[in-house]
């Protein structure tokens, strides 16, 4: 009998809180709830909460967000055999709130509940979408029934562990699929419009290269979508020195965070997309940014730092091996948009993005669980 990800009770442990800005954890939660599952999304602990009793926020009939405060802080400093004794009471409180047996524990966070068995779930999944250089990740991996990884670089980190591990590419949400598969091409009489989506406080942002690209292209309009201060992806106020520079540029608009369901209509208005992280230096960490599929779903050309997962897909992404070449590549694409946004090239990008729908990935995860 095949294991279908439907009508299950699923607890997702996320390192990013629920909010306007959505990444893979949030999209999986939404997709799972759309499939008829009862999904609970456990936010990172709120240490300033006065009460220890968790509360639930309802997103829809099948998706709820849990806010909690751990009974004891700082337990990650202890050895694992002590840590698990502290994690069990916290898990018990959360289980009582859910008030139903958990079929799947799906954790994206190695820094909490490494003792996954504390929840008594039927299946324990650890999903590594980021690089974590911590012994805590080894602990949670040893307790998982299966490890899912978003890139080859991350997958290699688990070779040697006695636990099945599989690569699952980042996904594309259903609302990024538009009816007209070929978007409108650029009006040659208008300015080139560049879309950039991401957190401007991100630690791997290549600030110097980004400044160079914006400064050297004054006739190009740059629109930055995403948080640049405190948000559900970043709980701190802005520390980025790029903001002062961007606010002074007449060819820059800071649009702030946008709801994920509003993004498709916004993105389809751009002529090209820019990604500017330190992928040439932090290869593993930048091996597969999730937003690239959302860009590709528009069909428009993407100019990017080195992305290891696309090393053999250079027909999809105009990327450089070293960021010193990024300003020149960007300028070449701007000057030859007709070529880079040809109907054939756009069709290929769209088809690739659609082949990575979250719905398809969940079918694969279901098959993996069935094989355990």
């Amino acid at each position: 009998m095949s294991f279908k990800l439907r009508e299950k009770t699923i607890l997702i442990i996320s390192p990013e809180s629920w909010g306007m800005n959505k990444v893979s954890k949030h999209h999986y939660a939404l997709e799972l709830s759309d499939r008829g599952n009862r999904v609970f999304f456990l936010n990172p602990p709120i240490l300033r909460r006065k009460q220890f009793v968790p509360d639930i926020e309802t997103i829809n009939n099948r998706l709820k967000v849990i806010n909690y405060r751990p009974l004891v802080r700082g337990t990650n400093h202890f050895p694992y055999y002590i840590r698990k004794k502290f994690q069990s009471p916290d898990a018990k409180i959360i289980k009582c709130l859910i008030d139903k047996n958990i079929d799947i524990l799906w954790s994206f966070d190695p820094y909490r509940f490494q003792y996954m068995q504390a929840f008594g779930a039927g299946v324990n999944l650890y999903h590594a979408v980021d690089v974590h250089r911590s012994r805590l990740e080894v602990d949670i991996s040893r307790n998982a029934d299966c490890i899912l990884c978003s890139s080859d670089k991350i997958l290699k980190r688990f070779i040697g562990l006695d636990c099945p591990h599989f690569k699952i590419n980042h996904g594309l949400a259903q609302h990024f699929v538009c009816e007209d598969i070929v978007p409108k091409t650029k009006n040659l009489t208008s300015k080139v419009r560049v879309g950039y989506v991401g957190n401007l406080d991100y630690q791997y942002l290549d600030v110097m290269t980004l400044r160079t690209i914006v400064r050297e292209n004054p006739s190009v309009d740059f629109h930055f979508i995403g948080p640049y201060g405190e948000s559900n992806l970043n709980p701190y106020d802005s520390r980025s020195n790029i903001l002062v520079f961007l606010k002074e540029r007449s060819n820059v608009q800071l649009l702030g965070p946008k709801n994920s369901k509003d993004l498709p209509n916004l993105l389809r208005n751009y002529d090209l997309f820019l990604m500017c992280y330190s992928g040439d230096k932090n290869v593993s960490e930048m091996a597969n940014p999730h937003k690239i599929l959302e860009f590709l779903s528009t069909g428009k050309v993407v100019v990017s730092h080195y992305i290891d997962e696309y090393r053999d897909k250079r027909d999809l992404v105009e990327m450089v091996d070293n960021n010193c070449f990024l300003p020149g590549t960007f300028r070449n694409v701007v000057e030859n948009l007709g070529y880079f946004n040809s109907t054939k090239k756009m069709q290929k990008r769209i088809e690739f993005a659609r082949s990575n729908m979250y719905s398809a990935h969940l079918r694969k995860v279901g098959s993996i669980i069935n094989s355990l």
Side-chain angles (χ1 to χ4, degrees), residues 312-371:
D312 57 349
K313 301 179 182 66
R314 294 178 185 257
D315 54 336
L316 296 174
V317 182
E318 300 304 314
M319 68 180 183
V320 297
D321 294 326
N322 189 301
N323 277 16
C324 69
F325 300 113
L326 197 53
T329 298
F330 178 85
R331 190 162 47 250
N332 178 56
V333 170
V334 169
E335 293 172 354
N336 297 278
L337 267 180
Y339 168 76
F340 289 104
N341 280 345
S342 68
T343 298
K344 184 177 179 180
K345 285 182 175 292
M346 288 199 293
Q347 289 267 17
K348 193 165 189 176
R349 295 175 191 128
I350 291 170
E351 289 169 2
F352 177 80
R354 292 188 176 189
S355 71
N356 284 280
M357 302 287 293
Y358 279 109
S359 55
H361 290 340
L362 286 178
R363 286 195 294 271
K364 184 175 181 180
V365 172
S367 297
I368 289 171
I369 292 174
N370 187 56
S371 69

Side-chain angles (χ1 to χ4, degrees), residues 73-268:
R73 294 176 57 179
T75 59
N76 281 341
H77 297 293
F78 298 124
Y80 171 70
Y81 74 92
I82 296 178
R83 229 181 305 137
K84 64 188 291 188
K85 294 180 180 180
F86 287 108
Q87 292 173 6
S88 292
D90 283 330
K92 185 176 181 180
I93 293 172
I94 293 167
K95 282 174 61 181
C96 288
L97 193 68
I98 293 174
D99 193 28
K100 195 171 184 179
N101 290 336
I102 299 171
D103 296 302
I104 301 172
L105 173 64
W106 195 327
S107 179
F108 293 83
D109 189 353
Y111 298 100
R112 288 186 291 159
F113 296 107
Q114 298 88 27
Y115 179 46
M116 303 180 83
Q117 285 72 16
F119 288 96
V123 178
N124 296 309
L125 302 179
Y126 171 54
H127 200 151
V129 296
D130 300 299
V131 174
H132 302 284
R133 305 185 188 280
S134 169
R135 63 184 174 85
L136 301 174
E137 186 171 62
V138 176
D139 292 334
I140 195 171
S141 301
R142 287 173 174 166
N143 284 288
D145 296 310
C146 177
I147 301 171
L148 307 176
C149 307
S150 61
S151 71
D152 288 330
K153 289 292 185 183
I154 294 178
L155 191 69
K156 288 178 182 178
R157 295 171 58 83
F158 298 99
I159 293 176
L161 285 180
D162 188 20
C163 180
H165 43 282
F166 304 87
K167 187 175 82 170
I168 301 287
N169 191 22
H170 278 303
L172 181 71
Q174 179 65 40
H175 57 268
F176 282 93
V177 176
C178 304
E179 291 301 322
D180 50 338
I181 191 168
V182 180
K184 294 183 297 183
T185 55
K186 176 185 176 294
N187 183 344
L188 297 179
T189 62
S190 62
K191 276 188 173 184
V192 173
R193 304 179 78 206
V194 177
Y196 179 100
V197 180
N199 186 355
L200 289 174
D201 283 315
Y202 193 43
Q203 61 178 321
Y204 297 112
L205 180 67
D206 187 343
V207 173
M208 296 305 297
T209 301
L210 183 57
R211 287 169 62 102
T212 298
I213 291 173
V214 173
R215 186 175 56 247
E216 290 183 353
N217 295 274
S219 62
V220 173
D221 284 339
F222 293 85
H223 290 192
F224 289 84
I225 300 171
Y228 48 86
E230 186 176 352
S231 72
N232 65 301
L233 302 185
N234 178 29
Y236 306 103
D237 288 331
S238 176
R239 298 161 298 187
S240 174
N241 59 5
I242 189 67
L243 281 175
V244 175
F245 168 79
L246 293 177
K247 288 178 179 179
E248 293 174 345
R249 308 301 299 188
S250 60
N251 61 331
V252 168
Q253 289 189 43
L254 297 173
L255 303 182
K258 300 294 180 183
N259 190 294
S260 177
K261 291 199 173 181
D262 295 331
L263 280 179
N265 285 333
L266 279 172
L267 298 186
R268 295 172 74 210

Side-chain angles (χ1 to χ4, degrees), residues 284-297:
S284 295
E285 289 80 357
M286 294 290 96
N288 194 12
H290 78 277
K291 67 176 68 67
I292 190 168
L293 286 172
E294 296 175 359
F295 295 159
L296 293 175
S297 72

Side-chain angles (χ1 to χ4, degrees), residues 32-46:
L32 285 164
S33 69
D34 286 344
R35 293 166 71 94
N37 296 288
R38 189 175 180 223
V39 181
F40 294 87
F41 187 95
L42 186 64
N43 272 340
I46 304 174

